[in-house]
Amino acid sequence: MTDPQTSNIWTEERVRSTLPARAQDSHKGTFGTALLVAGGPDMPGAALISGLGALRSGVGKLEIGTYRETIRAIAHAAAEATYVPDALIHIANGSHPLTSYKAIACGPGTVPDALTEAAVGNLVKSSAPLILDAGALSERSYAQRSAPLILTPHAGEFSRISGYAKERIAHSPELCASEFAETHGLTVVLKGPQTTIAFPDGELYRNPTGNAALAKGGTGDMLAGIMLGMLCCHENWRHAVLNAVYLHGACADEFIKTRSPHTMLARDIAGWLPEVWKQFE
Amino acid sequence: MTDPQTSNIWTEERVRSTLPARAQDSHKGTFGTALLVAGGPDMPGAALISGLGALRSGVGKLEIGTYRETIRAIAHAAAEATYVPDALIHIANGSHPLTSYKAIACGPGTVPDALTEAAVGNLVKSSAPLILDAGALSERSYAQRSAPLILTPHAGEFSRISGYAKERIAHSPELCASEFAETHGLTVVLKGPQTTIAFPDGELYRNPTGNAALAKGGTGDMLAGIMLGMLCCHENWRHAVLNAVYLHGACADEFIKTRSPHTMLARDIAGWLPEVWKQFE
Amino acid sequence: MTDPQTSNIWTEERVRSTLPARAQDSHKGTFGTALLVAGGPDMPGAALISGLGALRSGVGKLEIGTYRETIRAIAHAAAEATYVPDALIHIANGSHPLTSYKAIACGPGTVPDALTEAAVGNLVKSSAPLILDAGALSERSYAQRSAPLILTPHAGEFSRISGYAKERIAHSPELCASEFAETHGLTVVLKGPQTTIAFPDGELYRNPTGNAALAKGGTGDMLAGIMLGMLCCHENWRHAVLNAVYLHGACADEFIKTRSPHTMLARDIAGWLPEVWKQFE
Amino acid sequence: MTDPQTSNIWTEERVRSTLPARAQDSHKGTFGTALLVAGGPDMPGAALISGLGALRSGVGKLEIGTYRETIRAIAHAAAEATYVPDALIHIANGSHPLTSYKAIACGPGTVPDALTEAAVGNLVKSSAPLILDAGALSERSYAQRSAPLILTPHAGEFSRISGYAKERIAHSPELCASEFAETHGLTVVLKGPQTTIAFPDGELYRNPTGNAALAKGGTGDMLAGIMLGMLCCHENWRHAVLNAVYLHGACADEFIKTRSPHTMLARDIAGWLPEVWKQFE
Ligand SMILES: Nc1ncnc2c1ncn2[C@@H]1O[C@H](COP(=O)(O)O)[C@@H](O)[C@H]1O
Ligand SMILES: Nc1ncnc2c1ncn2[C@@H]1O[C@H](COP(=O)(O)O)[C@@H](O)[C@H]1O
Ligand SMILES: Nc1ncnc2c1ncn2[C@@H]1O[C@H](COP(=O)(O)O)[C@@H](O)[C@H]1O
Ligand SMILES: Nc1ncnc2c1ncn2[C@@H]1O[C@H](COP(=O)(O)O)[C@@H](O)[C@H]1O
Ligand SMILES: [Mg+2]
Ligand SMILES: [Mg+2]
Ligand SMILES: [Mg+2]
Ligand SMILES: [Mg+2]
């Protein structure tokens, strides 16, 4: 649709016109249940950060699938979620049904091992929009699926899963993202100082928001969570992906108006989201 | 008293005239001890959310009955409460005395199984006002009791416990709630975009507050907690029920003045409650 | 000194003239280490609430002696404290040295059993100002000690430890408190809607601050903690006791300027203390 | 360079001119990964406090090496960090590689025992700037290393590790710090009401910020964390050390503008840092 070379900016106007209303007569079932598979033994925080991102971004209900130990550590802080203990195992062996989810995200804080790989293999077979991030990103082939598949790598992860050299990605992020997206029939959110969003049909956007306050561990986990929530409250999944990237960055932009960019924590993004989102409604 | 067809709105004026003063010479014993039975293995957060709701709503003392593991997870966040470990078991087998409570709530985050059913069986025999929510709601018969029995189902739960078809409930929520309340001699708080409160004698109200920010997991738990607290500080239990529903919604209305409705967490309601409640005093 | 019948009010002016400066050249050792023995298996929150009270009230260092399980639950929320696991046991059997403490408090959330009694027996033998509250209050005889002994009962607890009838205490709180204080050579802080502070030499004050927002579980724990901290930063221990009661109430008074008194949590007091204290400096 | 007798003040102007920008095209890798080894069985909070300090001070990524039990307790509160369980053991026995870190800090809340000593022995051999604080400070010899070694003792700790009498340190802090720094080829941050920073080549500064609100347990842990973070975002490590001390004190100065100095918690410093840091950019 768009020529990768002259990609479009996902502008404030587009955000304003695509953010969903939250219908007055809705109930939590209207927005559905999201499944977030996140957190590993040494990275429990990623499950919390992405969980808060999802909860603050329009889900109806959120289930966080993670380790028992991680549940104990974070349950009070993401109290609105319910929990699926040992989710990776149960998803990998097919004992956790996936049919009821409105959207699924997997990867923040998970270890990229055989268990994760097996779980992703089953998640891909589900019929819900699926976000793969961080530990769930690997070099693999992608079977065609009816629902959107969205990968959210940063440049290093994109190089690893695509085989493209880092230099090539740095030089032509939009071309690389688009090529990979079209070849594999999926969406690539190539994260970085300027995030590129490439859809499988060649549609391509650049995100204008965000700043170096985001250059710190955890901000990618937050983005995955926000995107998961957005998939639940948007009718158009592309708008969900684009608006997630946009508002995630806009929160960081709001932060640095009054605070040093060196000092932001990923969690602050969820703190600012309610007021920032409102500015675009 | 009122014709279900032309039910009354529980208005701001009624709220203003029925909210209790907190008498200057009171002490915590004046308001009594509330028992909250909540939280399950995979839903620990519900115990915290409803606990915070109760603590912020006028209780004298609060005891939270939940699993040992949940106590460990939430005790620091609801530090003003004390805890009853394995409460469901002890209530079910009659080993936990219930005579000293001013009000009791059961259900947020609990699993609707035989244990819960047995516990509810004993709770109903107590002489305190009793709120049954979520996991404590089931299709059962209700022995007459002297103190108020209050059920707080959403439409889906109401259909399950009443046998009424969902369509019928959607079409005539007030008639259904009233009929069920009068038949079983209890109070039905039929929750939804517009919550209906039906008392056993036919008195019926509609709540005018609240918005779609509430359409997210956990907000019902918060309501149960607020209602429990309100029962402790109101002399008139009907006012407690009505004002709980009203202020719960009013907090959400305050939230969306400055924040997107997609972003609210149940816990935020307890955060806003102190200032919102004050506006009606 | 003062006639109990015409007791003095501990006024704002007295607070202003007795609150200590925090000397510019001080270090944490200047204010010493406080020991707080608090929290029981089902009342972990009391250790946190009183711990936060102490930390926000001028201690140099704080050690919280509590159960291992409670440490796990609260350590992140009172991160500035260090911990003494199983303190009651170690104090009771004399294996925890008490010589280095500037002040000690025992009782919030502890169970009034033989173990507590044995621990209190040893605490009383220490040479530090000692606060006994809640579970550490019992009917016992008090050996003379050089450092101040301060009991902080509410009316019910005072009746239990003094044998005075509740009616008598309600009718003549100042006479009762004074009599008990003089007889046993200790200080009584008789808490209630109007708190009476009776020193062993007959000096007696009434506290003018506070309101019914305090009539909720946990506020007494907070007072014990604030008093413990105050003992560390005041030169005159009587001023510490009086200013603790005063500022504790003043925080509640500040709270209800903008919030409903039904909604305050004990923890909020520590949140308001920094700004409220400043108003009197 | 400067005569110890007429040491320089590290002034606001110097701070302004040396604080780094956070380059717009940076990512978390730009700022590198910091390793914080902190927290002990009875001092879990120190790991959290210093961890928050580091996260708010410009790191790219933070790994906190601490006990498994401490991880469980703090992971939700420092969710942006990842964790190295039993780090002291793994560092002491050489099984945890140290080559990838941009900066390392060790000591807050750790016990000064043989295990810590062994771990420090290996940390010193790494090629990253290294901060030793609290439990990692001992009387030992220092092998020459290429990267900066920074000790952050208060006067008592400095006396213990240097053998200088406390009186001598109190009388001539700058001479003592400088002499020790030059003799051992390392940097001494001699903390106190007026902190002295002595570099190994004789360069010496006095810090003008800070007040007695800092005279409370935990503030030193916070400084170690802030300094660790600053080492990651500054090009010039001396500026990192100096600006950490300066901003740490400036946060306390901001606090007491509106709050009593008796009431500050170490954690508040991290809360104020974002806005205070901004004031100097
Ligand atoms: N310098 C920067 N400017 C704008 N956004 C950034 C910058 N650095 C990182 N980000 C964003 O922060 C997130 C980092 O994700 P991750 O690398 O997975 O932790 C992504 O959304 C990036 O787009
Ligand atoms: N669209 C809406 N407008 C107003 N209130 C709502 C709406 N959706 C849910 N609620 C309220 O949020 C709570 C949901 O409870 P539950 O379904 O048990 O989680 C109830 O108090 C509902 O009345
Ligand atoms: N109605 C009231 N007015 C003023 N202070 C109160 C009131 N009720 C309780 N308090 C204070 O709150 C605390 C309760 O302590 P406790 O009974 O140990 O939880 C004491 O400091 C009381 O003085
Ligand atoms: N009176 C004071 N004035 C200024 N800074 C202080 C004062 N007391 C302590 N500090 C600072 O607080 C921190 C205490 O560290 P530590 O002794 O390791 O807990 C150091 O950074 C000191 O410089
Ligand atoms: Mg990432
Ligand atoms: Mg519900
Ligand atoms: Mg008490
Ligand atoms: Mg220190």
Side-chain angles (χ1 to χ4, degrees):
Chain A
M1 188 184 285
T2 17
D3 169 17
Q5 304 280 24
T6 60
S7 80
N8 283 320
I9 307 291
W10 187 252
T11 58
E12 176 177 340
E13 291 68 42
R14 284 170 159 161
V15 173
R16 288 189 180 283
S17 66
T18 58
L19 278 176
R22 200 163 182 90
Q24 176 59 26
D25 64 345
S26 58
H27 55 90
K28 63 188 168 195
T30 313
F31 305 102
T33 301
L35 174 66
L36 171 65
V37 184
D42 303 340
M43 292 183 280
L48 175 56
I49 292 171
S50 49
L52 290 174
L55 284 168
R56 290 252 179 239
S57 302
V59 289
K61 292 193 271 186
L62 177 66
E63 293 181 17
I64 302 181
T66 189
Y67 291 81
R68 290 183 187 277
E69 191 144 321
T70 299
I71 297 175
R72 278 192 281 269
I74 71 169
H76 75 276
E80 289 80 4
T82 59
Y83 290 87
V84 183
D86 300 323
L88 276 178
I89 296 170
H90 294 301
I91 295 170
N93 70 24
S95 65
H96 185 76
L98 299 170
T99 47
S100 63
Y101 296 113
K102 177 96 170 264
I104 301 175
C106 181
T110 60
V111 181
D113 58 9
L115 177 61
T116 300
E117 203 60 24
V120 171
N122 280 339
L123 290 175
V124 170
K125 289 183 205 141
S126 79
S127 60
L130 175 64
I131 300 165
L132 298 180
D133 181 44
L137 293 170
S138 68
E139 196 178 350
R140 65 168 79 87
S141 63
Y142 296 91
Q144 275 311 105
R145 66 196 307 268
S146 52
L149 176 62
I150 303 149
L151 311 188
T152 57
H154 56 57
E157 290 164 337
F158 188 48
S159 172
R160 180 159 56 78
I161 67 174
S162 68
Y164 297 154
K166 286 192 186 173
E167 297 67 33
R168 193 175 150 211
I169 296 171
H171 186 265
S172 319
E174 306 189 354
L175 265 174
C176 291
S178 238
E179 185 177 287
F180 192 83
E182 292 189 58
T183 307
H184 295 273
L186 46 73
T187 297
V188 173
V189 177
L190 176 53
K191 300 182 297 190
Q194 234 182 20
T195 293
T196 298
I197 301 97
F199 292 105
D201 61 1
E203 201 179 356
L204 185 77
Y205 290 99
R206 253 186 305 145
N207 178 57
T209 63
N211 61 72
L214 291 165
K216 194 178 284 180
T219 55
D221 306 327
M222 180 56 79
L223 178 65
I226 293 176
M227 201 175 285
L228 178 64
M230 293 257 180
L231 285 171
C232 291
C233 67
H234 280 71
E235 290 216 348
N236 182 320
W237 66 271
R238 295 186 183 214
H239 296 165
V241 170
L242 291 159
N243 287 339
V245 175
Y246 186 97
L247 288 184
H248 175 264
C251 289
D253 292 343
E254 189 68 29
F255 183 92
I256 65 167
K257 284 185 189 163
T258 54
R259 290 156 169 84
S260 168
H262 297 287
T263 67
M264 199 181 78
L265 302 188
R267 205 162 166 170
D268 294 330
I269 297 168
W272 286 94
L273 191 57
E275 287 172 272
V276 168
W277 189 324
K278 175 82 171 179
Q279 293 170 16
F280 295 90
E281 286 182 333
Chain B
M1 189 182 285
T2 17
D3 170 18
Q5 304 280 26
T6 61
S7 79
N8 284 318
I9 306 291
W10 186 252
T11 59
E12 177 177 339
E13 291 67 41
R14 285 170 157 162
V15 173
R16 287 189 179 283
S17 66
T18 58
L19 278 176
R22 200 162 182 89
Q24 176 58 26
D25 63 346
S26 59
H27 55 91
K28 64 188 168 195
T30 314
F31 304 103
T33 301
L35 175 66
L36 171 65
V37 185
D42 302 340
M43 292 182 279
L48 175 56
I49 291 170
S50 49
L52 290 174
L55 285 167
R56 289 251 179 240
S57 302
V59 290
K61 293 193 270 185
L62 177 66
E63 293 181 17
I64 302 181
T66 190
Y67 291 80
R68 290 183 187 279
E69 191 145 323
T70 300
I71 297 176
R72 278 192 280 271
I74 71 170
H76 74 276
E80 289 80 5
T82 60
Y83 290 86
V84 183
D86 299 324
L88 274 179
I89 295 170
H90 294 301
I91 294 170
N93 68 24
S95 65
H96 185 76
L98 299 171
T99 48
S100 64
Y101 296 112
K102 177 98 171 264
I104 301 175
C106 181
T110 59
V111 181
D113 58 9
L115 176 62
T116 299
E117 203 60 25
V120 170
N122 280 339
L123 289 175
V124 170
K125 289 182 205 142
S126 79
S127 59
L130 176 63
I131 300 165
L132 298 180
D133 180 45
L137 294 170
S138 68
E139 197 178 350
R140 64 166 81 85
S141 64
Y142 296 91
Q144 275 311 105
R145 66 196 307 266
S146 53
L149 177 61
I150 303 149
L151 311 187
T152 56
H154 55 57
E157 291 165 335
F158 189 48
S159 172
R160 181 160 53 79
I161 67 174
S162 68
Y164 296 154
K166 286 193 185 172
E167 297 67 33
R168 194 176 149 209
I169 297 171
H171 186 264
S172 319
E174 306 190 354
L175 264 173
C176 291
S178 239
E179 185 177 287
F180 192 82
E182 293 189 56
T183 307
H184 294 274
L186 46 72
T187 297
V188 172
V189 177
L190 176 52
K191 300 181 297 189
Q194 235 183 19
T195 293
T196 298
I197 301 98
F199 292 105
D201 61 1
E203 201 179 356
L204 185 77
Y205 290 100
R206 251 185 306 143
N207 177 57
T209 63
N211 61 71
L214 291 165
K216 194 179 282 180
T219 55
D221 308 325
M222 180 56 78
L223 177 65
I226 292 176
M227 201 176 284
L228 178 64
M230 293 259 179
L231 284 170
C232 291
C233 67
H234 281 72
E235 289 217 349
N236 184 320
W237 67 270
R238 295 187 184 214
H239 297 166
V241 171
L242 291 159
N243 287 340
V245 175
Y246 186 97
L247 288 184
H248 176 263
C251 289
D253 292 344
E254 188 68 31
F255 183 92
I256 65 166
K257 285 184 190 164
T258 53
R259 290 157 170 83
S260 168
H262 297 287
T263 66
M264 199 181 76
L265 303 188
R267 205 162 166 169
D268 294 330
I269 297 169
W272 286 94
L273 191 57
E275 287 172 273
V276 167
W277 189 324
K278 174 83 172 181
Q279 293 169 16
F280 296 90
E281 286 182 332
Chain C
M1 190 182 286
T2 18
D3 169 19
Q5 303 279 26
T6 60
S7 80
N8 285 318
I9 306 292
W10 186 252
T11 59
E12 176 177 340
E13 291 67 42
R14 282 169 160 164
V15 173
R16 286 189 181 283
S17 65
T18 59
L19 277 176
R22 200 163 182 90
Q24 177 59 26
D25 63 345
S26 58
H27 56 91
K28 64 188 168 194
T30 312
F31 305 102
T33 302
L35 174 66
L36 171 66
V37 184
D42 302 340
M43 293 182 279
L48 175 57
I49 291 170
S50 49
L52 289 174
L55 286 168
R56 288 253 180 238
S57 301
V59 291
K61 293 193 270 186
L62 177 66
E63 293 181 17
I64 302 181
T66 191
Y67 291 80
R68 289 182 187 280
E69 190 144 322
T70 300
I71 297 175
R72 278 192 280 271
I74 72 169
H76 75 276
E80 289 79 5
T82 60
Y83 290 86
V84 183
D86 300 323
L88 275 178
I89 295 170
H90 294 301
I91 294 170
N93 68 25
S95 65
H96 185 76
L98 300 170
T99 47
S100 63
Y101 296 113
K102 177 99 171 262
I104 302 176
C106 181
T110 60
V111 181
D113 58 9
L115 176 62
T116 299
E117 203 61 25
V120 170
N122 281 338
L123 290 175
V124 170
K125 289 183 204 143
S126 79
S127 58
L130 175 64
I131 300 165
L132 298 180
D133 180 45
L137 294 169
S138 69
E139 197 179 348
R140 65 166 80 87
S141 64
Y142 296 91
Q144 276 311 105
R145 66 197 306 267
S146 52
L149 177 62
I150 303 148
L151 310 187
T152 56
H154 55 57
E157 291 164 337
F158 189 47
S159 172
R160 179 159 56 77
I161 66 173
S162 68
Y164 298 152
K166 286 192 185 172
E167 298 68 32
R168 193 175 150 212
I169 296 172
H171 186 265
S172 319
E174 305 189 355
L175 263 174
C176 291
S178 238
E179 186 177 286
F180 191 82
E182 293 188 58
T183 306
H184 294 275
L186 46 72
T187 297
V188 173
V189 177
L190 177 51
K191 299 181 297 189
Q194 234 182 20
T195 294
T196 297
I197 300 97
F199 291 105
D201 61 1
E203 200 178 357
L204 185 76
Y205 291 99
R206 252 186 306 142
N207 177 58
T209 62
N211 61 72
L214 292 165
K216 193 177 285 179
T219 55
D221 307 326
M222 180 56 79
L223 178 64
I226 292 177
M227 201 176 285
L228 179 63
M230 292 258 179
L231 284 170
C232 292
C233 67
H234 281 71
E235 289 218 347
N236 183 320
W237 67 270
R238 294 186 184 215
H239 297 165
V241 170
L242 292 159
N243 287 339
V245 175
Y246 186 97
L247 288 184
H248 176 262
C251 288
D253 292 344
E254 189 68 30
F255 184 92
I256 65 167
K257 285 185 189 162
T258 53
R259 290 157 170 83
S260 168
H262 297 288
T263 66
M264 199 182 76
L265 303 188
R267 205 162 166 168
D268 294 330
I269 298 169
W272 286 94
L273 192 57
E275 286 172 273
V276 169
W277 189 323
K278 174 83 172 181
Q279 293 170 16
F280 296 90
E281 286 181 330
Chain D
M1 191 183 285
T2 16
D3 169 18
Q5 303 280 26
T6 60
S7 81
N8 284 318
I9 306 292
W10 187 252
T11 59
E12 178 178 338
E13 291 67 43
R14 283 169 160 163
V15 173
R16 287 189 182 284
S17 65
T18 59
L19 278 175
R22 201 163 182 89
Q24 177 58 26
D25 63 344
S26 60
H27 55 91
K28 63 188 168 193
T30 313
F31 304 103
T33 301
L35 174 66
L36 171 65
V37 185
D42 302 340
M43 293 182 278
L48 175 56
I49 293 170
S50 49
L52 290 174
L55 285 167
R56 289 252 179 239
S57 302
V59 290
K61 294 193 270 186
L62 176 66
E63 293 181 17
I64 301 181
T66 190
Y67 290 80
R68 288 183 188 279
E69 192 145 320
T70 300
I71 297 175
R72 277 192 282 269
I74 71 169
H76 74 276
E80 289 81 4
T82 60
Y83 291 86
V84 183
D86 301 323
L88 275 178
I89 295 170
H90 294 301
I91 294 170
N93 69 25
S95 65
H96 185 76
L98 300 170
T99 46
S100 63
Y101 296 113
K102 177 97 171 263
I104 301 176
C106 181
T110 59
V111 181
D113 58 8
L115 177 61
T116 299
E117 202 61 24
V120 171
N122 279 339
L123 290 174
V124 170
K125 289 184 204 141
S126 79
S127 58
L130 176 63
I131 300 167
L132 298 181
D133 181 44
L137 293 170
S138 68
E139 197 179 348
R140 65 167 79 87
S141 63
Y142 295 92
Q144 276 311 106
R145 67 196 305 267
S146 52
L149 177 61
I150 303 151
L151 310 188
T152 57
H154 56 57
E157 290 164 338
F158 189 47
S159 172
R160 179 160 55 78
I161 66 174
S162 68
Y164 297 153
K166 285 193 186 172
E167 297 68 32
R168 192 175 152 210
I169 296 171
H171 185 265
S172 317
E174 306 190 353
L175 263 174
C176 291
S178 239
E179 186 177 286
F180 192 83
E182 292 189 58
T183 306
H184 295 274
L186 46 72
T187 296
V188 173
V189 177
L190 177 52
K191 298 182 298 189
Q194 234 182 21
T195 293
T196 298
I197 300 97
F199 292 105
D201 60 2
E203 200 178 357
L204 185 77
Y205 289 99
R206 252 185 306 144
N207 178 57
T209 62
N211 61 71
L214 292 165
K216 193 178 284 179
T219 54
D221 307 327
M222 180 56 79
L223 178 65
I226 293 177
M227 201 175 286
L228 178 64
M230 292 257 179
L231 284 170
C232 292
C233 67
H234 281 71
E235 289 216 348
N236 183 321
W237 66 271
R238 295 186 183 214
H239 297 166
V241 171
L242 292 159
N243 287 339
V245 175
Y246 186 97
L247 288 184
H248 176 263
C251 289
D253 292 344
E254 189 68 29
F255 184 92
I256 65 167
K257 284 185 189 163
T258 54
R259 289 157 169 86
S260 168
H262 297 287
T263 66
M264 199 181 77
L265 302 187
R267 205 161 165 169
D268 295 330
I269 297 169
W272 286 94
L273 192 56
E275 287 172 272
V276 168
W277 189 325
K278 176 81 172 182
Q279 292 170 16
F280 296 91
E281 286 182 331

